Each structure stands twice: as C-alpha cells, then as structure tokens.
Amino acid sequence: MSRRAAAPLVLRDYQQEAVEKLAAAALDTVAKMRAAPDQRRRIARQIGCALLESPTGSGKTVMLAATAEAVSRGAAVVWFWFAPFAGLIAQTATALRETAPSLRVRDPTKDRVDIGTRP
C-alpha cells in the first residue's frame, strides 16, 4: 500500500515572518553557545527562550513546527513540546507529523524513556 506525500505546507506571510524570526533567534543562541561553551548556562538563561503569542486559530502549532524544522537543519536539537491538556497532546503530535515531516515525533503515550533520544 503506498502513501501519498502530503503537499508542502504554504505559510501565510505573517506565519513565515514569525518562523524566520524565531529560527534566527534560536540559531543565534546556538551559535553563541558554540562560540562560548563554558558560558552555555548563562546564555541559555539570558536568551535561550522565546514566546509566540498569537490568537486562537492563527497557526501557532504550524509556525512552531516550521521553526523546529528550520532550526533542526542548522543544529542538532532535541525538542520538548509541552501541551496543557491531554487532548492537545495527540492533536499536537498529529499536527507535527503532518506539518513537520523531517522531525522525528515520538509517541508520548508509549515512548517515555530518554534512552535513544536523538536530534
């Protein structure tokens, strides 16, 4: 049985702008950590996080999935994705698999061991 590949996701202009800014900030943080590995903890505390605040239905999951893919192309990263409700966990995992096919999404209901974690 063959599976057809999903059509590539086309982001809206505001989504693409957010992805570019988030990815650039994350890759800048990675570059700073690589340049000063002994300062990694300080760098992470100062600039190692971002907040995407956007209205319901604006495509936050899609934007963050695209950001994760973009950053993962430039750095070896293990992503942890948190969802506030159990129902959103399955929904988010499905959305990540559909919108970010280059990411390896683990099954949060079965795959809860850190052994084997890789970018």
Side-chain angles (χ1 to χ4, degrees):
M1 187 184 330
S2 67
R3 257 180 87 184
R4 289 185 357 179
L9 186 66
V10 177
L11 299 174
R12 294 187 170 119
D13 289 343
Y14 74 90
Q15 292 171 321
Q16 186 61 43
E17 182 180 351
V19 168
E20 288 169 4
K21 287 180 179 181
L22 287 166
L27 290 170
D28 179 61
T29 301
V30 169
K32 288 177 177 160
M33 289 178 169
R34 285 180 177 157
D38 57 320
Q39 297 295 314
R40 184 181 183 105
R41 190 173 298 235
R42 180 189 59 77
I43 293 166
R45 271 185 261 178
Q46 287 182 342
I47 59 173
C49 64
L51 172 67
L52 176 61
E53 187 174 17
S54 188
T56 300
S58 62
K60 290 182 288 292
T61 301
V62 169
M63 288 185 273
L64 292 173
T67 299
E69 278 193 310
V71 173
S72 295
R73 283 191 292 272
V77 180
V78 174
W79 296 95
F80 293 91
W81 198 291
F82 298 92
F85 307 106
L88 288 178
I89 293 171
Q91 177 184 337
T92 301
T94 299
L96 285 172
R97 285 184 187 96
E98 291 173 358
T99 61
S102 71
L103 297 179
R104 185 174 69 101
V105 180
R106 294 168 70 168
D107 183 343
T109 63
K110 298 176 185 153
D111 193 3
R112 301 179 71 87
V113 179
D114 61 352
I115 296 170
T117 300
R118 60 181 167 79

